[in-house]
């Protein structure tokens, strides 16, 4: 299987914003309680299943003072453990490049209750530098993310983009990116969702990174209501292949396909395989290695 090293099959002239890469929604939620858990695998395991976009949200554990992953009020593994895992993945897979989308969890309001989350940027910087060394490895030297190619990245020797819309961490960037999400659409039952969410490709556009989310979201006042991400994923998973097929067969959607994320990406190789096959459809794979790429993905069936 090639999932841990799939980027080495990609042409130099492919733009990062045209590359199709699997993403993990709420990457740091592994090990959390059922109502908050969106992933089972650790960051290293996610990496080895082909994930190259990591959605990481942070808070501070009031008891220990440690910076931790969170999903709303639910806290998970420490940022230190997570970054150690990414460091190991970087060391073991030197051809690979990823996007670390990292920030505090956004403020929430439930009636009269306001919830705020905090992670001291200085502490975050210390942990990032200790484990994944942004001063050496973060890719920042570009004018427009829309023009960056895989060849540019490889020539730079850098390993990841540290994406943060406030640029609050050292070597982080706020390059143009969108992640369409609508409470009503993402709160639909599975069959309606996989049809309606395709409209996002028509409604939203960007010259930067396009993060297309394939998971439904539990919320009060929606069709799915409040339930576990695992249950919702089981419902959507039955329609996932049809969703990817629609992207593959619709030229506008295929052109915009870039980061495609979901929940429980390490349950098996199914989601990553379907997503990565789009690189063949987009002619992103080196011709002389296309058969090997296809065969390597097929071993995950």
């Amino acid at each position: 299987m090639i999932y841990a090293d799939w980027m080495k099959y990609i042409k130099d002239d492919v733009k990062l914003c045209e590359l199709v890469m699997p993403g993990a929604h709420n990457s740091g939620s592994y090990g959390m309680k059922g109502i908050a858990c969106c992933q089972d695998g650790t960051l290293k395991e996610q990496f080895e299943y082909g994930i190259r976009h990591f959605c990481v949200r942070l808070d501070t554990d009031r008891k220990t003072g440690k910076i931790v992953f969170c999903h709303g009020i639910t806290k998970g593994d420490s940022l230190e453990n997570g970054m150690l895992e990414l460091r190991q993945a970087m060391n073991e897979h030197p051809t690979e490049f990823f996007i670390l989308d990292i920030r505090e969890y956004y403020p929430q309001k439930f009636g009269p209750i306001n919830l705020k989350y905090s992670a001291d940027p200085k502490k975050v910087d210390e942990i990032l530098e200790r484990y994944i060394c942004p001063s050496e490895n973060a890719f920042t030297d570009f004018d427009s993310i829309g023009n960056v190619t895989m060849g540019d990245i490889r020539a730079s020797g850098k390993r990841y983009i540290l994406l943060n819309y406030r640029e609050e961490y050292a070597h982080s960037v706020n390059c143009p990116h969108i992640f369409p999400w609508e409470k009503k659409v993402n709160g639909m039952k599975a069959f309606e969702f996989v049809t309606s969410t395709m409209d996002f490709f028509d409604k939203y556009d960007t010259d930067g990174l396009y993060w297309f989310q394939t998971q439904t979201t539990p919320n009060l006042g929606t069709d799915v209501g409040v339930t576990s991400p695992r249950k919702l994923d089981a419902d959507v998973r039955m329609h996932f292949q049809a969703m990817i097929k629609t992207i593959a067969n619709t030229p506008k959607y295929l052109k915009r396909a870039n980061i495609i994320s979901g929940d429980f990406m390490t349950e098996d190789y199914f989601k990553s395989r379907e997503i990565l096959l789009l690189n063949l459809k987009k002619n992103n794979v080196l011709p002389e290695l296309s058969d090997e790429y296809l065969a390597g993905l097929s071993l995950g069936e």
Side-chain angles (χ1 to χ4, degrees):
M1 292 187 289
I2 66 168
Y3 292 89
D5 302 286
W6 64 265
M7 281 187 166
K8 68 184 181 183
Y9 293 88
I10 303 300
K11 300 175 183 175
D12 274 346
D13 63 357
V14 173
K15 293 180 180 179
L16 183 64
C17 293
E18 295 175 346
L19 180 66
V20 186
M21 67 184 84
H25 171 244
N26 281 325
S27 307
S29 62
Y30 56 89
M32 292 183 183
K33 296 177 181 178
I35 197 66
C37 180
C38 297
Q39 303 295 336
D40 288 325
T42 64
L43 296 190
K44 184 172 185 288
E45 289 169 334
Q46 291 173 36
F47 192 102
E48 291 171 343
Y49 272 70
I51 305 305
R52 295 296 179 268
H53 178 274
F54 297 88
C55 163
V56 169
R57 302 297 176 252
L58 305 175
D59 194 14
T60 300
D61 188 313
R62 272 55 177 177
K63 293 181 180 179
T64 65
K66 289 187 175 182
I67 307 295
V68 295
F69 298 141
C70 75
H71 185 185
I73 61 174
T74 305
K75 296 176 178 58
D77 200 2
S78 69
L79 178 61
E80 289 188 79
N81 286 344
M83 294 304 100
L84 175 59
E85 294 240 343
L86 271 187
R87 176 76 253 179
Q88 292 170 342
M90 289 167 62
N91 288 343
E92 293 174 16
H93 306 287
T95 63
E96 305 305 289
F97 183 86
F98 61 93
I99 299 168
L100 182 59
D101 183 330
I102 182 170
R103 59 178 170 83
E104 293 174 342
Y105 203 83
Y106 58 86
Q108 294 176 298
K109 182 176 176 63
F110 297 98
I113 301 173
N114 292 299
L115 299 174
K116 293 185 178 181
Y117 304 88
S118 64
D120 184 347
K122 291 183 179 179
K123 289 185 178 180
V124 173
D125 275 338
E126 290 172 2
I127 294 168
L128 295 178
E129 190 61 31
R130 188 182 316 146
Y131 291 103
I132 63 172
C133 200
S135 61
E136 294 181 8
N137 295 313
F139 184 61
T140 61
D141 189 18
F142 55 88
D143 295 322
S144 170
I145 191 65
N147 294 328
V148 171
T149 67
M150 292 302 295
D152 295 332
I153 291 168
R154 288 163 177 154
S156 75
K158 305 299 182 180
R159 302 299 307 279
Y160 58 84
I161 286 177
L162 198 62
L163 185 61
N164 179 270
Y165 73 107
R166 292 178 178 168
E167 299 185 9
E168 58 191 333
Y169 310 124
H171 310 288
S172 61
V173 296
N174 179 29
C175 55
H177 65 287
I178 57 170
F179 44 101
W181 183 92
E182 295 179 6
K183 182 176 179 179
K184 179 181 178 181
V185 174
N186 289 81
M188 290 178 172
K189 297 289 187 179
F191 180 76
E192 290 80 8
F193 166 72
V194 299
T195 303
S196 298
T197 194
M198 289 297 135
D199 292 342
F200 287 175
F201 283 109
D202 294 309
K203 293 170 62 176
Y204 299 94
D205 195 11
T206 179
D207 293 329
L209 300 166
Y210 196 114
W211 175 13
F212 180 65
Q213 303 184 63
T214 65
Q215 73 285 339
T216 51
T217 310
N219 256 310
L220 290 169
T222 64
D223 293 344
V224 299
V226 179
T227 185
S228 73
R230 193 177 302 276
K231 180 182 182 303
L232 295 179
D233 180 67
D235 294 337
V236 171
R237 190 171 285 261
M238 295 186 292
H239 304 282
F240 189 84
Q241 196 168 45
M243 196 177 343
I244 299 300
K245 186 176 181 180
T246 299
I247 295 172
N249 293 335
T250 310
K252 180 195 292 186
Y253 301 173
L254 183 63
K255 180 175 177 58
R256 292 182 177 174
N258 183 205
I259 300 162
I260 301 180
S261 74
D263 288 344
F264 302 105
M265 296 296 291
T266 62
E267 180 174 315
D268 50 37
Y269 290 98
F270 168 63
K271 287 187 178 181
S272 287
R273 181 179 70 249
E274 293 300 313
I275 293 167
L276 288 172
L277 285 172
L278 290 174
N279 281 313
L280 287 169
K281 187 77 173 180
K282 292 186 76 166
N283 197 30
N284 288 341
V285 179
L286 289 160
E288 65 272 23
L289 297 179
S290 60
D291 288 344
E292 183 179 327
Y293 182 84
L294 178 59
L297 294 180
S298 298
L299 289 174
E301 294 180 357

